[in-house]
Amino acid sequence: MENPTIDQAPSIDRVAVPSATPDDGIRVNRITPAQPWEWLRKGWQDIQQARRYSLTYGAVVVLISALMTWALVSEGYVFIVPFLAAGFYLLAPVVGLGLYQISAHLERGEPLQFCNALEAWKRNQGQLSIITAGLILIMQFWMLANFVLFAMLYTNLQPPLESFFSVVFLSGENNAFVFASVLVGFVLAGLAYAISAISVPMLVDRKIDGLTAIRTSVKAVTTNWLPMGLWATIIVMVIGLGFVTFYVGLAIAMPLLGHATWHAYRDLVPRESDPV
């Protein structure tokens, strides 16, 4: 008997076979490594259809990022900026709330409005708050782990705060600490990615609990570890390009990834399981 296909994209030859086990009841589609590029294509199409709203959303992200950085630099806390950038990666799924809602409206042929982020938040604010709090806790744990590792592995005199990052991470004299810090960061980033890859757009789209959304996201990532690993790499690179352009590139990068994430969720979670 042939495996059923669900919501198969006409321009991509992919396997979209529901994967489920009796013990959890969670069903996700299997996809190929070509699919993340299709998500980017669809994300770009959404930007073109909702240019006014998507680019305004991206511009607001740029403005807030620039103001936060300016405030830190002006107060002499330059060393916090790299950690802030790392935190942006962890919280990006929540930052994209309004973009998921825009894509949902486009999908249904509904009119758009500038308060899409607030609309998305109100749809399931209690469960979205849980996801947001969890990501913030992971970010705080990562920062705390760095302080502990620094105390354990850094053997030189403590550098001034204004040159902390360059002296500790870029001098080449503290390789043990740098390696441990990167390793811990990689593990925590992987955890954050697994629980938030599609859980946030899923909570925007459906009235479900946060635990179910997280379990579905984790299963989608582990079932499709190769394409989802590629998607994580693409996210890191695209947001990184936004950073190296002094945030200006985020005006395009954030809407592109936000819309694409919506399409990732739609491809990974079977439509037939939508609540009636």
Side-chain angles (χ1 to χ4, degrees):
M1 184 174 65
E2 292 182 354
N3 288 328
T5 58
I6 294 179
D7 192 29
Q8 215 165 10
S11 58
I12 278 289
D13 182 18
R14 65 186 175 93
V15 180
V17 179
S19 172
T21 54
D23 59 328
D24 60 19
I26 295 175
R27 303 173 65 249
V28 299
N29 288 336
R30 294 184 183 275
I31 60 173
T32 70
Q35 199 59 23
W37 304 109
E38 180 71 3
W39 300 337
L40 287 177
R41 185 188 68 80
K42 291 180 178 179
W44 182 250
Q45 285 183 337
D46 284 357
I47 290 178
Q48 292 178 314
Q49 293 181 61
R51 186 179 297 108
R52 177 186 177 193
Y53 300 93
S54 294
L55 296 183
T56 300
Y57 199 101
V60 171
V61 172
V62 171
L63 179 61
I64 294 175
S65 301
L67 286 176
M68 292 179 66
T69 301
W70 173 80
L72 290 172
V73 171
S74 63
E75 293 297 322
Y77 296 115
V78 182
F79 69 97
I80 296 181
V81 174
F83 296 99
L84 186 67
F88 184 89
Y89 279 105
L90 296 180
L91 296 176
V94 179
V95 176
L97 270 174
L99 297 165
Y100 311 145
Q101 193 65 50
I102 290 173
S103 288
H105 281 310
L106 289 174
E107 184 180 285
R108 296 190 292 261
E110 298 172 349
L112 303 176
Q113 52 189 353
F114 277 111
C115 58
N116 279 298
L118 182 60
E119 177 192 357
W121 181 261
K122 287 182 175 180
R123 287 179 63 85
N124 207 347
Q125 57 185 344
Q127 302 304 315
L128 286 168
S129 298
I130 293 174
I131 298 287
T132 304
L135 294 174
I136 291 175
L137 284 174
I138 291 175
M139 181 175 67
Q140 292 178 332
F141 184 79
W142 176 68
M143 295 181 70
L144 177 62
N146 272 283
F147 286 128
V148 172
L149 289 171
F150 180 79
M152 293 175 58
L153 301 176
Y154 191 77
T155 56
N156 301 323
L157 294 175
Q158 184 170 342
L161 290 179
E162 59 271 14
S163 59
F164 179 88
F165 188 81
S166 59
V167 170
V168 174
F169 284 90
L170 303 179
S171 65
E173 299 176 358
N174 310 284
N175 292 332
F177 168 71
V178 172
F179 176 79
S181 177
V182 170
L183 180 62
V184 171
F186 182 80
V187 172
L188 292 178
L191 173 63
Y193 175 66
I195 69 175
S196 65
I198 60 169
S199 60
V200 179
M202 191 173 183
L203 288 172
V204 170
D205 188 45
R206 311 179 185 204
K207 283 291 185 179
I208 59 173
D209 63 277
L211 181 58
T212 298
I214 289 173
R215 290 166 62 207
T216 305
S217 183
V218 170
K219 186 164 187 176
V221 171
T222 54
T223 300
N224 300 283
W225 64 270
L226 184 57
M228 293 305 286
L230 173 60
W231 180 232
T233 303
I234 292 173
I235 292 173
V236 170
M237 292 178 64
V238 172
I239 292 181
L241 288 174
F243 286 152
V244 300
T245 56
F246 299 98
Y247 301 137
V248 174
L250 288 177
I252 297 292
M254 196 61 211
L256 178 62
L257 292 175
H259 292 311
T261 297
W262 171 262
H263 293 290
Y265 153 67
R266 275 310 205 180
D267 277 352
L268 286 163
V269 181
R271 288 175 183 264
E272 68 179 18
S273 65
D274 285 349
V276 178

